Amino acid sequence: MTKVITSASMSLDGYISGPGESGFEHLFGWHRTGDVEVATARPDMAFKVTPQTGEHLRRLVDGTGALVVGRKLFDLTQGWGGSHPFGGPVFVVTHTAPDAWPHQGFTFVTDGVESAVRQAAEVAGGKAVGVAAGDMARQALAAGLIDEFWVDLVPVLLGGGTPFFNAVTDVPLVLDDPDVVQGRGVTHLVYRLHSRA
Amino acid sequence: MTKVITSASMSLDGYISGPGESGFEHLFGWHRTGDVEVATARPDMAFKVTPQTGEHLRRLVDGTGALVVGRKLFDLTQGWGGSHPFGGPVFVVTHTAPDAWPHQGFTFVTDGVESAVRQAAEVAGGKAVGVAAGDMARQALAAGLIDEFWVDLVPVLLGGGTPFFNAVTDVPLVLDDPDVVQGRGVTHLVYRLHSRA
């Protein structure tokens, strides 16, 4: 069965964005704290990180075969200009597909996140399906679809905002001990569901 | 200046107790996951942990010179039978001191947590003052008194309950990258305030 993962930068007090959509300079500060460039499909979006974080990011990118994202993120980024930095097939969950979208690699899914994950799994080539943090991850969490949480734990307290895990309904949910990679401005923690280990 | 620390077992979603005071079998499961016995002042409360966790706990205990606890915890434990497992001086924050308390090592403080921390610092012998998780830690957090957070991050999602960090008002609060010790059923993370590094 295809593994489904989600990843997010989360503050120590559990938020993926601070009050009033603030705090991103803290949550994503670690993207630029080192000398190792991690290339993406878009040269303008390369990370500059420590060797440890670089290896961790490559493990994530190399292990992911397809992505599921929401329409909100797609619109916010204007569809990544037609070229998502991930480079693989992208499934956009939406109520209505855009009239014209000439770029390769994007599939618009109008029957929900479960369908999108299923379709993504079919083309992931044995790799994982990544579900973008935010609305999509919350819907996938609520549907019990997530097997692994890649938490980039950031040493900051934001005091409020959007929690990463508030949609988990099947609680208590026991996870295995994580893989731990200490970065600069971030602690990378990879958790698997205990029951699916 | 005396360092003030607080420690707690916290779920990955940020709670030190689950909904309706639940979840403690998860949060404290790591106290009994190894062969290394960490003695306390009370033989009936020894931990059985991994070597790594044992070393971590000894670092915490050896580095702490005095404790501040709340009256609620004091009453719940019936004053630890007069012998707190920590073994050092204990300052109990309360509205009214008990009429009779024959045991050595306990001081009842009726003018608040700041006073208790100050008094504890005077007898800590250069070591840290530990503030117990729960009400006392929240009051100390709100007063900006905490220098270090010893977070025992437990791989479970509880979905609700009492958050560890909800009293931090001076946000965003930037911390340094933590010391990390991977245990069994727990990831030990020690964070320091960045501005006090």
Side-chain angles (χ1 to χ4, degrees):
Chain A
M1 213 179 93
T2 304
K3 195 166 62 178
V4 181
I5 70 182
T6 187
S7 70
S9 286
M10 182 178 94
S11 66
L12 181 57
D13 52 351
Y15 299 104
I16 58 171
S17 68
E21 300 288 310
S22 68
F24 297 114
E25 75 279 23
H26 297 292
L27 289 169
F28 302 128
W30 63 271
H31 290 184
R32 297 256 160 203
T33 52
D35 296 324
V36 174
E37 191 160 309
V38 177
T40 71
R42 286 181 54 185
D44 58 319
M45 291 185 71
F47 289 6
K48 297 269 286 178
V49 294
T50 65
Q52 292 79 7
T53 290
E55 199 177 310
H56 177 80
L57 287 175
R58 273 187 291 267
R59 188 156 74 102
L60 175 61
V61 172
D62 292 350
T64 302
L67 273 192
V68 173
V69 305
R71 180 61 185 268
K72 190 173 151 193
L73 187 61
F74 177 86
D75 285 344
L76 267 174
T77 63
Q78 301 185 292
W80 296 274
S83 169
H84 192 285
F86 157 66
V90 176
F91 292 79
V92 184
V93 179
T94 181
H95 294 293
T96 317
D99 285 337
W101 183 254
H103 306 285
Q104 294 291 314
F106 290 83
T107 304
F108 297 92
V109 178
T110 55
D111 53 351
V113 68
E114 294 200 46
S115 169
V117 167
R118 196 168 49 242
Q119 294 180 53
E122 285 166 12
V123 301
K127 295 183 176 183
V129 169
V131 178
D135 286 345
M136 283 305 102
R138 274 192 288 280
Q139 291 182 35
L141 279 171
L145 291 175
I146 304 290
D147 300 297
E148 284 186 11
F149 302 96
W150 291 55
V151 179
D152 300 313
L153 192 65
V154 175
V156 67
L157 300 174
L158 294 177
T162 304
F164 187 25
F165 289 113
N166 66 341
V168 180
T169 50
D170 183 22
V171 288
L173 187 68
V174 177
L175 311 170
D176 285 325
D177 278 321
D179 299 335
V180 182
V181 175
Q182 183 57 50
R184 191 177 294 146
V186 64
T187 306
H188 306 289
L189 302 165
V190 179
Y191 288 95
R192 286 166 201 84
L193 287 202
H194 185 61
S195 55
R196 301 184 198 177
Chain B
M1 214 180 92
T2 304
K3 194 167 63 177
V4 181
I5 70 181
T6 188
S7 69
S9 286
M10 182 178 94
S11 65
L12 180 57
D13 53 352
Y15 299 103
I16 58 171
S17 67
E21 301 287 312
S22 68
F24 297 115
E25 75 278 23
H26 297 293
L27 289 169
F28 301 128
W30 63 270
H31 290 184
R32 298 253 159 206
T33 52
D35 296 325
V36 174
E37 190 160 312
V38 176
T40 71
R42 286 180 54 185
D44 58 318
M45 291 186 70
F47 289 7
K48 296 269 286 179
V49 294
T50 64
Q52 291 78 8
T53 290
E55 199 177 308
H56 178 79
L57 287 175
R58 275 187 290 267
R59 187 157 75 102
L60 175 60
V61 172
D62 292 349
T64 302
L67 274 193
V68 172
V69 304
R71 180 62 185 268
K72 189 173 152 193
L73 188 61
F74 177 86
D75 285 343
L76 267 174
T77 62
Q78 300 184 294
W80 296 273
S83 169
H84 192 285
F86 158 66
V90 176
F91 293 78
V92 184
V93 178
T94 182
H95 293 295
T96 317
D99 286 338
W101 183 253
H103 306 284
Q104 294 291 313
F106 289 83
T107 304
F108 297 91
V109 178
T110 55
D111 54 351
V113 67
E114 293 199 46
S115 169
V117 167
R118 197 169 50 244
Q119 293 181 53
E122 285 167 11
V123 301
K127 295 183 176 183
V129 170
V131 178
D135 285 346
M136 282 305 103
R138 274 192 288 280
Q139 291 182 34
L141 279 170
L145 292 174
I146 304 290
D147 300 297
E148 284 186 12
F149 302 97
W150 291 55
V151 179
D152 301 313
L153 193 65
V154 176
V156 67
L157 301 174
L158 294 177
T162 304
F164 187 25
F165 289 113
N166 67 342
V168 179
T169 50
D170 182 23
V171 288
L173 187 68
V174 177
L175 311 171
D176 285 325
D177 278 322
D179 299 335
V180 182
V181 175
Q182 183 58 47
R184 191 176 294 148
V186 64
T187 307
H188 306 289
L189 302 165
V190 180
Y191 288 95
R192 286 166 201 83
L193 286 203
H194 186 61
S195 54
R196 302 184 198 176

